[in-house]
Amino acid sequence: MILGCIADDFTGATDLANTLTRGGMATVVLFGVPREDLAAPGADAIVIALKSRSIAAGDAVRQSLAALTWLQQAGPGPAPRESTAIPQIFFKYCSTFDSTDAGNIGPVAEALLAALGETFTIACPAFPTNKRTIYRGYLFVGDVLLSESSMRYHPLTPMTDALLTRVLQRQSKGRVGLIAYDVVERGAAAVREAMERLHAEGVRMAIVDALTDAHLVTIGAACARLKLLTGGSGLALGLPENFRRAGLLRARTGGALPAVHGHAAVIAGSCSAATQRQVAEMKRRSQWFEIDPIGLREDSASASKVLQWARPRLGREPILIYSTADPGAVEKAQAALGREQAGRLIETAMGEIAKGLVDMGVRQLVVAGGETSGAVASALGVEGLWIGEEIDPGVPWTFSLGEPPLALALKSGNFGTDDFFLKAFQKLEPPMNADGRFGE
Ligand code: ADP
């Protein structure tokens, strides 16, 4: 492993892993601080997905340090594993720098620096593709300052200050500095020089301006020798090339998946507009079953009825099970049950259904909906995922660690084209390697 990553939330972790995979690094995402004997042989990068963005700063620091310790000991396994020096550690947070005044970006970054015996890092959440840019230390979301964007009203981490040097300084003990846009424009050597100068002046963390992907690549190149990097997933754009230049990365076409043989199914628990269109499109060609929260409350055996329905229908063609409904139906269910209970009933049922389907031999599963995906992954006891080929932007096939091997596509509700579901399964044909390993 040449890059160890600690992400402060789940979707951010997969986003980062997807970027690294597209850059040619074999990447695995692990959920939570992994158990000691978990191994991911063959990984160039490991991303540990924490849920540490909006918890107390002390807890975020503890979890992040535990993740770091695991990464430092994640040798080729099996035990006893020796502590190995990973070339680089990446602390990943949101491209809108989501944090409270007390943290958690500053405290976690400083704790990681201390644990690594380092005294300087950069902070760059920019993600130009998603319209997050930094100019003179100010973070813009599209055409407006962060503090004027909808992030101002975020329920957990309202962002009311767009000047990132000030935000980071409020939550840090060490000095915070800035590497401005004009330096980044001059190229990697200029950025490196600025880092050295700021470091010598006693700055511990430098916000770095970035307006374009090209800037992120420049910054990535300038950071090749930094032990710790902190930023959004965009900062990962330039990293694979550093490792390639240093001869640490084997040539490969990133993102292939082994063949996973078994039945195929789609579980849709998202009610987002894109998922509604995708469900309608698949219903025209496939066998389907609809569940709804009111029905679930009235019939506690619903999940087993769905599975009874599914059993004789599993074969060469994927089946569809969905709770996707239009806003009127969702409103009706929420009025009858309350928003939370309606959601919980569906998520629990989808988890049970997924588990039942896997017990019946389903090995290829598309799940629509962020919360729904979380519920399904935890019901299936998935500890980690390899990232594979992208189906649509931001939605790759993934391949679960452990037994039985599953191909999972976990789709955020509003992602993907209308024919996403059936298109996804058409990508699943690469032959497994002779030794059954991933992507080589
Ligand atoms: P998205 O990615 O589109 O936000 P999620 O899975 O994250 O999708 O969220 C959808 C939420 O709506 C889940 O909590 C799910 O259980 C709930 N839900 C799904 N179907 C219905 C329905 N028919 N009525 C009410 N709530 C529903």
Side-chain angles (χ1 to χ4, degrees), residues 268-273 275 290-294 322-326 329-334 337-348 350 367-374 411-414:
S270 159
C271 298
S272 297
T275 301
E290 180 180 8
I291 60 174
D292 74 273
I294 296 175
Y322 71 93
S323 67
T324 308
D326 60 35
V330 172
E331 209 176 301
K332 212 169 120 201
Q334 289 181 341
L337 301 167
R339 178 189 300 257
E340 269 194 23
Q341 204 204 347
R344 202 165 347 105
L345 279 167
I346 297 277
E347 286 167 32
T348 309
M350 292 307 201
V367 187
E371 294 299 325
T372 311
S373 294
K411 186 188 80 74
S412 176
N414 255 332

Side-chain angles (χ1 to χ4, degrees), residues 195-214:
M195 293 195 305
E196 279 160 23
R197 184 175 42 77
L198 288 173
H199 189 191
E201 288 169 6
V203 166
R204 294 289 163 260
M205 285 188 276
I207 300 284
V208 189
D209 280 356
L211 302 178
T212 61
D213 281 353

